[in-house]
Amino acid sequence: MAFAPKWLKWSSGNDDRLGNTRRDVITLGVALAAILLFVGTGGQVLPQIVRAMEGRGLGPDRLLTNALLLNIALIIFGWRRYRELTSEVAERRKAEEQARILAELDPLTSCLNRRSVGPEADKLAAQAAERGEAVAFVMLDLDKFKQVNDANGHAAGDAMLRESAVRIRAVLGHDGLVARLGGDEFAVVLPYPPGQPEVVERLVEGLIEAVAKPVAFNGLELETTISAGICRSEPGDQATAQAMLHKADIAMYHAKRNGRNRLAWFEPSMESEVRFRSELEAGIRRGVPAGEFVPYYEKQIDLDSGQIAGFEMLARWNSPTLGVVSPDIFIPVAEEIGLIAEMSESLIRQALRDARGWDPKLTLSVNISPVQLRDPWFAQKLLKILVEANFPPSRLEIEVTESCLHENIALVHSLITSLKNQGVTVSLDDFGTGYSSLSQLRSLPFDRIKIDRSFVMNLLDDKDSATIVQAIIALGEGLGLPITAEGIENEEVLTELRKYGNFKGQGYLYGFPLPAECTVAELAQLDLLLEAPESAPAEQGAEPQRRTA
Ligand code: C2E
Ligand code: MG
Ligand code: MG
């Protein structure tokens, strides 16, 4: 039997039940009348029958006998009808109860569902206000739940949701209500003593702790964490439960953005954050087809010779309203709204067009998002773009970050292998920040490791950073992987780095990332440009010629 909270009362169907009861009474009345008539007629007819059988009189009065038989038939009919009606009513009540459960409860967890939480929460808030209590509205969302589903199947995901609901209810006791709003999202509404939000905070911390404990499923230990957003209303506040839950939702997203597995209280400033975020989303959706995302290029230097070895393409957004926007702002949003692949492919096409005009010894590096690596067709798509641009794969290097290694490692392995088979090189970007294991590093056929800029920038001021840089360099030597150090900002760091060995480097010391036209101007000065490279030779029929100085 599904869980039905005790505060969930009947809210409809009273009229129907009244009608049924009335019909019951009438049927019972007919049967009672028939019994009374039976007693009356039977009282006369039966003695006559007995006397006739003893030979003391004539047979019973025919009319009365017929009336008696009719009465008996009526009693039997009335009784049967009464029994039928009673079971009909019972069945109907059961069906109504089931319909109500289906309409109000979530079938997986037996919590309230999205439809019923609003009215029930309003009711709870009104009752709490009458008692002079405050009410907290909490939105809960499992962190990275999709990964549990993807890695272990939907049955595992369902088990995790059911167990999370059980634990949330256990922590909550009988004090409030729990709803599952869909997917991995839960809402909790609970009354608490006014002016004591710490009571709520302790309880929500308890929820976070309870949900984080592993869930056993088919011999597996599933793990997740949960992020919570809380909004409170004190007695006298007029906002509806829906409005309060919306604010709690905003706070929950804030908790997610600040690292997940935590709680955040709603603050009004968060609403403008959300507005900015939706403006960003709308801007990105408009900007991708409008060509507002453009490649900038950062020099990569062979530290030994001091020569330019190639460029890393870094995306910039020329937003009509926000100006030039950094990729740290728009890449995560593009990933979330599913536009990263389209944006990245367009940027790579532009970059290949630009790089075709450079000296062929210069390489081009492009960053690839973990989201793109989840696409099993990614390698094919990239190779198609290369063919269309008639760009030699050996001049292209793709950079993947360590976070890719925590995803589907088998898929990443096959993607990297097929790219390498076509001649594309693959580097591991931002190394040292993502906790990849040595075995992962050895099992994936990388061509290069890039030391994260945070270690290089602090090389001289922070002993730990210097130790990490040296350890990564030793690791690269051990695995036979060449190294690029990013984030070289000044001569002092460069001098120190050069003591450690021979590798490539990049950073503001060599200049900021620049748009295509500035890069071309710089390369022209260095005599590192080809002539008239604009369109791909597939269209033009000829390789561009090296420009004469
Ligand atoms: P990244 O790939 O590690 O790129 C290096 C970042 O360090 C760039 O930031 C660059 O401007 C910055 N940088 C370079 N030299 C120095 C230095 O000396 N000091 C300091 N403090 N910073 C330096 P940017 O352009 O803001 O890019 C940030 C990140 O955004 C990149 O980190 C990369 O992970 C990502 N990104 C950029 N373009 C793309 C793209 O097209 N696709 C994807 N998926 N990610 C991109
Ligand atoms: Mg990079
Ligand atoms: Mg990097």
Side-chain angles (χ1 to χ4, degrees), residues 215-233:
V215 174
F217 175 77
N218 279 357
L220 296 171
E221 294 253 294
L222 307 174
E223 286 195 46
T224 186
T225 53
I226 201 162
S227 300
I230 320 171
C231 182
R232 63 191 163 121
S233 88

Side-chain angles (χ1 to χ4, degrees), residues 312 367 399 429-431 450-453 486:
E312 175 174 2
N367 294 281
E399 297 188 4
D429 201 0
D430 301 344
F431 187 71
K450 295 186 73 175
I451 310 177
D452 188 64
R453 61 185 185 274
E486 53 178 35

